Every structure is written in C-alpha cells, then in structure tokens.
Amino acid sequence: RTRDNTRRRRTDGPQTKSVASIIYPAARMSLSLVTAARRSHLLLRGNNQSRVVAAWNVRGFKRKPRDIRVENVLDEIETGEDGKLTPMRTDYKLGTPLEELPTTIFAYPTCPHCNKVFAYLDYLQHEYTLVHVNPITKAEIKWSTDYKKVPIATMAEKEIFGSDEIIFAVHEEWQQFHKIADGLSKEDFYHWNTFVDEEIARPLFVATSSTWEDALKYTAYVREMEKYPGYLRWLHHMVATFFTRVGSNKTKKKFNLSEPLVALEDAMKRFLGTFEGDTTGPFHGGEKPSFADILVFGTFRSVGGFDAVAQLRDRNPEINTWFTAMENAVGAPAVVEKL
C-alpha cells in the first residue's frame, strides 16, 4: 500500500522536467553531429571499388592509399610496385614563370590569410592549383600532422605553412621580376600585416557575418564540395555557419566592434593617408603595388561579393578608386585547377 500511495503521489500534480531530461536530448544531438562528421571523414577514404586519390604534389606525389582523396583525378595516378601512388603525368608543371616550381594551395575561400596569398600569386600570374578545405573535417589537410590551419602550400617537394611564409618563399624566387614596389623590408611587411589583421580583418569579418544570412553565404562554398555526399554538405554547411556566427559575436564583443563599417572606413582612410601624394601613382607603392597594397586588397577580396564591401566602396570614392586600381593591377585569378 505504501508503494501504491507513493506512486500515486508522484503522478499527481504538475509535472516538471528534470535536468537530465533536458541535457540528455542535447547530448544525443551533439553525438549525432560528431558521428556524422566522423562518418564523412571515413567516406573520403572509400573502398577498393570507389577509391579516389589526391593528385597534388606533396612529398614527391607519393601518397599512401589510406590518405586524403579527391575525386576526378584517377586518370593522373597509378600505383607503383611498392604500393605507393605515383603520377602518370611526368610533365605536371603548374608554376610559372619558374616552371620547375609547381604550386598547390590548401585554403578556405573566405579566409583573409588565404586570400592574401591568392592576391599575391594572381598579381605575379604564378599559376597554382587550389584545394578547398572542409572547415569541419579538414580531411584535405589530414596529411599535415602538426599544422592544422590554412593556408598551406606545396611547392615542388617543399611544404610551407602560413600566409607570411608562403608569400616570402615565392617572393625570394621571383625577385628578378620586380613586380612588387621596391623599398619594403620584412619589418615593413610584418608591420602592415599586423595592421591588416587587427584593423581590417576583424571588423571585416564582423561586418560580413553579423546576420545568419551573411553567415550562410560566408560558408556557402562547403555546399559545392562535390566529393562529399549531399546530406553531409548540408550538415557541414549548417555547422560551419553556426560556428561562424559564434566567432563573429565573440569578435564583436571582444574588440568592441559595434559599428564594424565605421571601423573599416577609419582603417582604410588611415591606410590611404600613408600614400606619398597623388603624383606618385594610385598605390601605396607608387606606380606599382607594394606588399601593403597586396595584403589589404587580398583581405577585402575574400568577401568581395558581400554588401558590406559594396557599401564601403559606394560611400568612399577614394577607397573605390584604390580598389579599382588594384583590381586592374592584380588581374584575373591564376588558378589552373580546383580540387
């Protein structure tokens, strides 16, 4: 009887949810997301019937079958007697003007650091292969055991990590072409790189990801990564969008960027104010762009199609004039292949 009365008392009256009943479904959902991401990572490996492999040049084009794989390149790969992957094409030369230096860039399309490298290579017309990296699984750079950020470059058999190192590595090989304005030391480069990262990249990120609509656009390239199944592309896009909004809000609060467009305008006016006069040319470097021009332009070009950038150019004729001059100087992208 006592048990019956206790059971009856427990069922009477208003029901309240316990903490466990709230946490458990949330934990199940988180576990499902992690499981799906892990499954997508395994799907890239494939099996003996559907194996796809990478064609880019890392450690002499040799890659174990269990490493990262990309579709549509089977015609360029064959397996050697030692079981390792070797290229069928012996004339695989992508880099110009030094043809013996093929270049591959692993990057996010909207990453400002990656776009600094793109702007520099495009300005030099140094051809390169572009590999888009999934921001959730990062399976495309799984081969890099110590460095898990982007950009990463492979030039011949050399691996280079980080935008600064990539730009300087290319610059050392192409000094004889004198396309970059003279008189800029490494100290100047790092000064302007710090200025761009702190004064331009931060408010630009907030301005282009402050709404869910912009955040979805910021990570939309994930939906175009055809080596992933459609449902995983959608899932990764949603997860990447969520973390983009979280990062945008944190950046906004941490650096007090309640009006990111105003901060951008102020930073660009200070940048243009360092020019040596109208008669020396339209660039910071005078008649030719300097590294400062390349770094600023590349950062903006990472989100060039967003409304915030269009508003900045429309409201500031002098900024728009510089943008137009840089677009003409840099020219078309030098990408010869996208994977």
Short mmCIF file of all heavy atoms in Angstrom, two decimals, residues 145-193:
data_model
loop_
_atom_site.label_atom_id
_atom_site.label_comp_id
_atom_site.label_asym_id
_atom_site.label_seq_id
_atom_site.Cartn_x
_atom_site.Cartn_y
_atom_site.Cartn_z
N THR A 145 50.47 16.66 -40.15
CA THR A 145 50.26 16.15 -38.80
C THR A 145 50.39 17.23 -37.72
O THR A 145 49.73 17.16 -36.69
CB THR A 145 51.28 15.03 -38.50
OG1 THR A 145 52.61 15.53 -38.71
CG2 THR A 145 51.03 13.84 -39.42
N ASP A 146 51.22 18.23 -37.94
CA ASP A 146 51.49 19.24 -36.91
C ASP A 146 50.74 20.54 -37.12
O ASP A 146 50.40 21.23 -36.17
CB ASP A 146 52.99 19.52 -36.82
CG ASP A 146 53.79 18.29 -36.44
OD1 ASP A 146 53.27 17.48 -35.65
OD2 ASP A 146 54.93 18.14 -36.92
N TYR A 147 50.50 20.91 -38.38
CA TYR A 147 49.89 22.20 -38.69
C TYR A 147 48.49 21.95 -39.27
O TYR A 147 48.36 21.34 -40.34
CB TYR A 147 50.75 22.96 -39.69
CG TYR A 147 50.36 24.41 -39.89
CD1 TYR A 147 50.83 25.40 -39.03
CD2 TYR A 147 49.52 24.79 -40.93
CE1 TYR A 147 50.48 26.73 -39.20
CE2 TYR A 147 49.17 26.12 -41.11
CZ TYR A 147 49.65 27.07 -40.25
OH TYR A 147 49.30 28.39 -40.44
N LYS A 148 47.46 22.40 -38.57
CA LYS A 148 46.09 22.13 -38.98
C LYS A 148 45.32 23.39 -39.35
O LYS A 148 44.10 23.42 -39.31
CB LYS A 148 45.35 21.41 -37.84
CG LYS A 148 45.86 20.00 -37.57
CD LYS A 148 45.71 19.09 -38.78
CE LYS A 148 46.16 17.68 -38.48
NZ LYS A 148 46.05 16.81 -39.68
N LYS A 149 46.05 24.44 -39.73
CA LYS A 149 45.42 25.67 -40.16
C LYS A 149 45.62 25.84 -41.67
O LYS A 149 46.30 25.06 -42.31
CB LYS A 149 46.00 26.86 -39.40
CG LYS A 149 45.81 26.79 -37.88
CD LYS A 149 46.45 27.99 -37.21
CE LYS A 149 46.31 27.92 -35.69
NZ LYS A 149 46.94 29.08 -35.02
N VAL A 150 45.02 26.89 -42.21
CA VAL A 150 45.22 27.25 -43.61
C VAL A 150 45.67 28.71 -43.66
O VAL A 150 45.38 29.49 -42.74
CB VAL A 150 43.92 27.05 -44.43
CG1 VAL A 150 43.60 25.59 -44.57
CG2 VAL A 150 42.76 27.81 -43.81
N PRO A 151 46.40 29.09 -44.73
CA PRO A 151 46.74 28.29 -45.90
C PRO A 151 47.99 27.43 -45.70
O PRO A 151 48.84 27.72 -44.86
CB PRO A 151 47.00 29.36 -46.96
CG PRO A 151 47.58 30.50 -46.18
CD PRO A 151 46.84 30.49 -44.87
N ILE A 152 48.03 26.36 -46.50
CA ILE A 152 49.22 25.52 -46.63
C ILE A 152 49.55 25.46 -48.11
O ILE A 152 48.67 25.34 -48.95
CB ILE A 152 48.98 24.11 -46.08
CG1 ILE A 152 48.64 24.15 -44.58
CG2 ILE A 152 50.21 23.23 -46.32
CD1 ILE A 152 48.32 22.79 -44.00
N ALA A 153 50.83 25.55 -48.44
CA ALA A 153 51.27 25.48 -49.83
C ALA A 153 52.26 24.34 -49.99
O ALA A 153 53.04 24.04 -49.08
CB ALA A 153 51.91 26.79 -50.28
N THR A 154 52.20 23.69 -51.14
CA THR A 154 53.24 22.74 -51.54
C THR A 154 53.86 23.26 -52.82
O THR A 154 53.17 23.51 -53.80
CB THR A 154 52.67 21.33 -51.76
OG1 THR A 154 51.72 21.36 -52.83
CG2 THR A 154 51.98 20.82 -50.51
N MET A 155 55.16 23.49 -52.78
CA MET A 155 55.90 23.98 -53.94
C MET A 155 57.00 22.98 -54.22
O MET A 155 57.93 22.83 -53.42
CB MET A 155 56.47 25.37 -53.65
CG MET A 155 55.39 26.39 -53.30
SD MET A 155 56.07 27.96 -52.70
CE MET A 155 57.00 28.50 -54.13
N ALA A 156 56.88 22.28 -55.38
CA ALA A 156 57.75 21.15 -55.69
C ALA A 156 57.59 20.14 -54.56
O ALA A 156 56.50 19.67 -54.32
CB ALA A 156 59.19 21.61 -55.88
N GLU A 157 58.66 19.80 -53.84
CA GLU A 157 58.54 18.84 -52.75
C GLU A 157 58.64 19.53 -51.39
O GLU A 157 58.86 18.88 -50.37
CB GLU A 157 59.63 17.78 -52.87
CG GLU A 157 59.52 16.95 -54.14
CD GLU A 157 60.55 15.84 -54.19
OE1 GLU A 157 61.27 15.68 -53.19
OE2 GLU A 157 60.62 15.14 -55.20
N LYS A 158 58.42 20.82 -51.36
CA LYS A 158 58.53 21.59 -50.12
C LYS A 158 57.15 21.99 -49.63
O LYS A 158 56.32 22.45 -50.40
CB LYS A 158 59.40 22.84 -50.36
CG LYS A 158 59.66 23.66 -49.11
CD LYS A 158 60.55 24.85 -49.44
CE LYS A 158 60.84 25.68 -48.19
NZ LYS A 158 61.69 26.86 -48.51
N GLU A 159 56.90 21.82 -48.34
CA GLU A 159 55.65 22.21 -47.73
C GLU A 159 55.85 23.49 -46.93
O GLU A 159 56.80 23.59 -46.14
CB GLU A 159 55.14 21.09 -46.82
CG GLU A 159 54.87 19.80 -47.58
CD GLU A 159 54.80 18.61 -46.65
OE1 GLU A 159 54.84 18.82 -45.42
OE2 GLU A 159 54.71 17.48 -47.14
N ILE A 160 54.97 24.47 -47.12
CA ILE A 160 55.11 25.78 -46.48
C ILE A 160 53.80 26.08 -45.75
O ILE A 160 52.71 25.96 -46.33
CB ILE A 160 55.40 26.87 -47.52
CG1 ILE A 160 56.59 26.46 -48.39
CG2 ILE A 160 55.70 28.19 -46.83
CD1 ILE A 160 56.82 27.38 -49.56
N PHE A 161 53.92 26.50 -44.50
CA PHE A 161 52.75 26.69 -43.65
C PHE A 161 52.60 28.17 -43.29
O PHE A 161 53.53 28.79 -42.79
CB PHE A 161 52.89 25.85 -42.38
CG PHE A 161 53.14 24.39 -42.64
CD1 PHE A 161 54.41 23.86 -42.54
CD2 PHE A 161 52.10 23.56 -43.01
CE1 PHE A 161 54.64 22.53 -42.78
CE2 PHE A 161 52.31 22.22 -43.26
CZ PHE A 161 53.59 21.69 -43.15
N GLY A 162 51.42 28.71 -43.53
CA GLY A 162 51.13 30.09 -43.16
C GLY A 162 51.29 31.06 -44.31
O GLY A 162 52.15 30.89 -45.18
N SER A 163 50.47 32.11 -44.32
CA SER A 163 50.47 33.06 -45.44
C SER A 163 51.78 33.83 -45.53
O SER A 163 52.29 34.05 -46.64
CB SER A 163 49.29 34.03 -45.28
OG SER A 163 49.37 34.73 -44.05
N ASP A 164 52.35 34.25 -44.41
CA ASP A 164 53.60 35.02 -44.46
C ASP A 164 54.71 34.21 -45.10
O ASP A 164 55.44 34.71 -45.99
CB ASP A 164 54.03 35.43 -43.05
CG ASP A 164 52.99 36.28 -42.35
OD1 ASP A 164 51.98 36.61 -43.00
OD2 ASP A 164 53.20 36.61 -41.17
N GLU A 165 54.86 32.98 -44.65
CA GLU A 165 55.94 32.12 -45.15
C GLU A 165 55.75 31.81 -46.63
O GLU A 165 56.72 31.77 -47.40
CB GLU A 165 56.01 30.83 -44.35
CG GLU A 165 56.55 30.99 -42.94
CD GLU A 165 55.56 31.66 -42.00
OE1 GLU A 165 54.37 31.77 -42.37
OE2 GLU A 165 55.96 32.08 -40.91
N ILE A 166 54.51 31.62 -47.06
CA ILE A 166 54.25 31.32 -48.48
C ILE A 166 54.62 32.52 -49.35
O ILE A 166 55.29 32.38 -50.38
CB ILE A 166 52.77 30.93 -48.68
CG1 ILE A 166 52.44 29.64 -47.95
CG2 ILE A 166 52.46 30.79 -50.17
CD1 ILE A 166 50.96 29.32 -47.92
N ILE A 167 54.19 33.70 -48.95
CA ILE A 167 54.46 34.91 -49.74
C ILE A 167 55.96 35.15 -49.84
O ILE A 167 56.49 35.44 -50.92
CB ILE A 167 53.75 36.11 -49.11
CG1 ILE A 167 52.24 35.99 -49.31
CG2 ILE A 167 54.25 37.42 -49.73
CD1 ILE A 167 51.43 37.07 -48.63
N PHE A 168 56.69 35.02 -48.73
CA PHE A 168 58.13 35.26 -48.77
C PHE A 168 58.85 34.18 -49.57
O PHE A 168 59.84 34.47 -50.26
CB PHE A 168 58.70 35.34 -47.36
CG PHE A 168 58.60 36.70 -46.76
CD1 PHE A 168 57.90 36.92 -45.60
CD2 PHE A 168 59.21 37.78 -47.38
CE1 PHE A 168 57.80 38.19 -45.05
CE2 PHE A 168 59.11 39.06 -46.85
CZ PHE A 168 58.42 39.26 -45.67
N ALA A 169 58.38 32.94 -49.50
CA ALA A 169 59.01 31.87 -50.28
C ALA A 169 58.89 32.15 -51.77
O ALA A 169 59.84 31.98 -52.53
CB ALA A 169 58.39 30.53 -49.93
N VAL A 170 57.71 32.59 -52.19
CA VAL A 170 57.51 32.92 -53.61
C VAL A 170 58.30 34.17 -53.98
O VAL A 170 58.92 34.23 -55.05
CB VAL A 170 56.02 33.11 -53.91
CG1 VAL A 170 55.80 33.56 -55.35
CG2 VAL A 170 55.24 31.83 -53.65
N HIS A 171 58.30 35.16 -53.11
CA HIS A 171 58.99 36.41 -53.40
C HIS A 171 60.49 36.19 -53.59
O HIS A 171 61.12 36.81 -54.47
CB HIS A 171 58.75 37.41 -52.27
CG HIS A 171 59.38 38.75 -52.50
ND1 HIS A 171 59.03 39.57 -53.55
CD2 HIS A 171 60.36 39.41 -51.83
CE1 HIS A 171 59.74 40.67 -53.51
NE2 HIS A 171 60.56 40.60 -52.49
N GLU A 172 61.08 35.31 -52.81
CA GLU A 172 62.50 35.04 -52.94
C GLU A 172 62.84 34.42 -54.29
O GLU A 172 63.93 34.61 -54.82
CB GLU A 172 62.97 34.14 -51.80
CG GLU A 172 62.98 34.85 -50.44
CD GLU A 172 63.30 33.91 -49.30
OE1 GLU A 172 63.51 32.70 -49.59
OE2 GLU A 172 63.33 34.35 -48.15
N GLU A 173 61.92 33.66 -54.85
CA GLU A 173 62.16 33.02 -56.15
C GLU A 173 61.90 33.98 -57.31
O GLU A 173 62.43 33.79 -58.39
CB GLU A 173 61.25 31.79 -56.30
CG GLU A 173 61.54 30.68 -55.30
CD GLU A 173 62.85 29.98 -55.59
OE1 GLU A 173 63.39 30.15 -56.70
OE2 GLU A 173 63.35 29.27 -54.70
N TRP A 174 61.06 35.02 -57.07
CA TRP A 174 60.65 35.90 -58.17
C TRP A 174 61.17 37.32 -58.04
O TRP A 174 60.62 38.24 -58.61
CB TRP A 174 59.12 35.90 -58.28
CG TRP A 174 58.61 34.82 -59.15
CD1 TRP A 174 58.32 34.88 -60.48
CD2 TRP A 174 58.37 33.49 -58.75
NE1 TRP A 174 57.90 33.66 -60.93
CE2 TRP A 174 57.92 32.77 -59.89
CE3 TRP A 174 58.50 32.79 -57.55
CZ2 TRP A 174 57.60 31.43 -59.85
CZ3 TRP A 174 58.18 31.45 -57.51
CH2 TRP A 174 57.72 30.79 -58.65
N GLN A 175 62.20 37.54 -57.29
CA GLN A 175 62.71 38.89 -57.12
C GLN A 175 63.15 39.52 -58.43
O GLN A 175 63.05 40.73 -58.61
CB GLN A 175 63.89 38.88 -56.13
CG GLN A 175 63.47 38.72 -54.68
CD GLN A 175 64.67 38.76 -53.74
OE1 GLN A 175 65.80 38.81 -54.19
NE2 GLN A 175 64.41 38.72 -52.45
N GLN A 176 63.61 38.70 -59.35
CA GLN A 176 64.15 39.26 -60.58
C GLN A 176 63.06 39.89 -61.46
O GLN A 176 63.36 40.61 -62.40
CB GLN A 176 64.90 38.19 -61.39
CG GLN A 176 64.02 37.08 -61.96
CD GLN A 176 63.85 35.92 -60.98
OE1 GLN A 176 63.84 36.11 -59.79
NE2 GLN A 176 63.71 34.73 -61.52
N PHE A 177 61.81 39.65 -61.16
CA PHE A 177 60.75 40.19 -62.00
C PHE A 177 60.31 41.58 -61.54
O PHE A 177 59.63 42.28 -62.28
CB PHE A 177 59.55 39.23 -62.02
CG PHE A 177 59.84 37.98 -62.79
CD1 PHE A 177 60.40 36.88 -62.15
CD2 PHE A 177 59.60 37.91 -64.14
CE1 PHE A 177 60.69 35.73 -62.86
CE2 PHE A 177 59.89 36.76 -64.87
CZ PHE A 177 60.44 35.68 -64.24
N HIS A 178 60.65 41.97 -60.32
CA HIS A 178 60.45 43.33 -59.82
C HIS A 178 59.01 43.83 -60.02
O HIS A 178 58.79 44.98 -60.38
CB HIS A 178 61.41 44.30 -60.52
CG HIS A 178 62.85 44.00 -60.24
ND1 HIS A 178 63.41 44.11 -58.99
CD2 HIS A 178 63.84 43.57 -61.06
CE1 HIS A 178 64.69 43.76 -59.05
NE2 HIS A 178 64.98 43.42 -60.28
N LYS A 179 58.05 42.97 -59.79
CA LYS A 179 56.67 43.41 -59.91
C LYS A 179 56.19 44.11 -58.65
O LYS A 179 55.24 44.88 -58.68
CB LYS A 179 55.76 42.22 -60.23
CG LYS A 179 55.99 41.62 -61.61
CD LYS A 179 54.82 40.78 -62.05
CE LYS A 179 53.64 41.65 -62.41
NZ LYS A 179 52.52 40.88 -62.98
N ILE A 180 56.83 43.79 -57.52
CA ILE A 180 56.48 44.45 -56.26
C ILE A 180 57.33 45.70 -56.11
O ILE A 180 58.52 45.71 -56.42
CB ILE A 180 56.71 43.51 -55.07
CG1 ILE A 180 55.66 42.39 -55.10
CG2 ILE A 180 56.65 44.24 -53.74
CD1 ILE A 180 54.25 42.85 -54.81
N ALA A 181 56.70 46.78 -55.61
CA ALA A 181 57.43 48.04 -55.44
C ALA A 181 58.63 47.85 -54.52
O ALA A 181 58.58 47.09 -53.55
CB ALA A 181 56.49 49.10 -54.87
N ASP A 182 59.72 48.53 -54.84
CA ASP A 182 60.95 48.41 -54.06
C ASP A 182 60.82 49.14 -52.71
O ASP A 182 59.92 49.93 -52.50
CB ASP A 182 62.13 48.99 -54.84
CG ASP A 182 62.38 48.22 -56.13
OD1 ASP A 182 62.09 47.01 -56.15
OD2 ASP A 182 62.85 48.84 -57.10
N GLY A 183 61.79 48.87 -51.84
CA GLY A 183 61.90 49.62 -50.61
C GLY A 183 61.05 49.12 -49.46
O GLY A 183 60.85 49.84 -48.49
N LEU A 184 60.55 47.88 -49.53
CA LEU A 184 59.74 47.34 -48.45
C LEU A 184 60.48 46.17 -47.82
O LEU A 184 60.66 45.14 -48.45
CB LEU A 184 58.37 46.90 -48.95
CG LEU A 184 57.36 46.49 -47.87
CD1 LEU A 184 57.02 47.70 -47.01
CD2 LEU A 184 56.09 45.93 -48.49
N SER A 185 60.90 46.33 -46.59
CA SER A 185 61.64 45.27 -45.89
C SER A 185 60.67 44.30 -45.24
O SER A 185 59.45 44.52 -45.22
CB SER A 185 62.55 45.89 -44.83
OG SER A 185 61.77 46.53 -43.84
N LYS A 186 61.22 43.24 -44.65
CA LYS A 186 60.38 42.29 -43.92
C LYS A 186 59.73 42.96 -42.72
O LYS A 186 58.61 42.62 -42.34
CB LYS A 186 61.20 41.08 -43.49
CG LYS A 186 61.50 40.11 -44.62
CD LYS A 186 62.07 38.81 -44.10
CE LYS A 186 62.26 37.82 -45.23
NZ LYS A 186 62.74 36.51 -44.75
N GLU A 187 60.45 43.90 -42.11
CA GLU A 187 59.87 44.63 -40.98
C GLU A 187 58.64 45.41 -41.42
O GLU A 187 57.62 45.45 -40.72
CB GLU A 187 60.91 45.57 -40.35
CG GLU A 187 62.02 44.86 -39.59
CD GLU A 187 63.03 44.19 -40.53
OE1 GLU A 187 63.06 44.55 -41.73
OE2 GLU A 187 63.76 43.30 -40.07
N ASP A 188 58.73 46.05 -42.59
CA ASP A 188 57.57 46.77 -43.12
C ASP A 188 56.43 45.82 -43.42
O ASP A 188 55.26 46.11 -43.17
CB ASP A 188 57.95 47.54 -44.39
CG ASP A 188 58.95 48.64 -44.12
OD1 ASP A 188 58.85 49.28 -43.06
OD2 ASP A 188 59.85 48.85 -44.96
N PHE A 189 56.79 44.65 -43.98
CA PHE A 189 55.77 43.65 -44.30
C PHE A 189 55.01 43.26 -43.04
O PHE A 189 53.77 43.24 -43.02
CB PHE A 189 56.42 42.43 -44.92
CG PHE A 189 55.46 41.29 -45.19
CD1 PHE A 189 54.81 41.19 -46.40
CD2 PHE A 189 55.20 40.34 -44.21
CE1 PHE A 189 53.92 40.14 -46.65
CE2 PHE A 189 54.32 39.29 -44.44
CZ PHE A 189 53.69 39.20 -45.67
N TYR A 190 55.72 42.92 -41.98
CA TYR A 190 55.07 42.48 -40.75
C TYR A 190 54.28 43.62 -40.10
O TYR A 190 53.24 43.38 -39.47
CB TYR A 190 56.09 41.91 -39.78
CG TYR A 190 56.63 40.57 -40.22
CD1 TYR A 190 57.99 40.36 -40.40
CD2 TYR A 190 55.76 39.51 -40.46
CE1 TYR A 190 58.48 39.13 -40.82
CE2 TYR A 190 56.24 38.27 -40.88
CZ TYR A 190 57.60 38.09 -41.05
OH TYR A 190 58.08 36.87 -41.47
N HIS A 191 54.76 44.85 -40.26
CA HIS A 191 54.01 46.00 -39.75
C HIS A 191 52.65 46.09 -40.42
O HIS A 191 51.61 46.21 -39.74
CB HIS A 191 54.79 47.29 -39.96
CG HIS A 191 53.96 48.52 -39.82
ND1 HIS A 191 53.55 49.00 -38.59
CD2 HIS A 191 53.43 49.36 -40.77
CE1 HIS A 191 52.81 50.09 -38.77
NE2 HIS A 191 52.72 50.33 -40.07
N TRP A 192 52.64 46.01 -41.74
CA TRP A 192 51.38 46.12 -42.46
C TRP A 192 50.53 44.87 -42.30
O TRP A 192 49.30 44.96 -42.29
CB TRP A 192 51.65 46.41 -43.95
CG TRP A 192 52.04 47.83 -44.18
CD1 TRP A 192 53.25 48.31 -44.56
CD2 TRP A 192 51.19 48.96 -44.02
NE1 TRP A 192 53.23 49.67 -44.64
CE2 TRP A 192 51.97 50.11 -44.32
CE3 TRP A 192 49.86 49.15 -43.65
CZ2 TRP A 192 51.45 51.39 -44.27
CZ3 TRP A 192 49.35 50.42 -43.59
CH2 TRP A 192 50.15 51.53 -43.89
N ASN A 193 51.16 43.73 -42.16
CA ASN A 193 50.39 42.52 -41.94
C ASN A 193 49.64 42.58 -40.61
O ASN A 193 48.48 42.17 -40.51
CB ASN A 193 51.31 41.30 -41.97
CG ASN A 193 50.58 40.03 -42.32
OD1 ASN A 193 49.59 40.04 -43.04
ND2 ASN A 193 51.05 38.91 -41.80
#
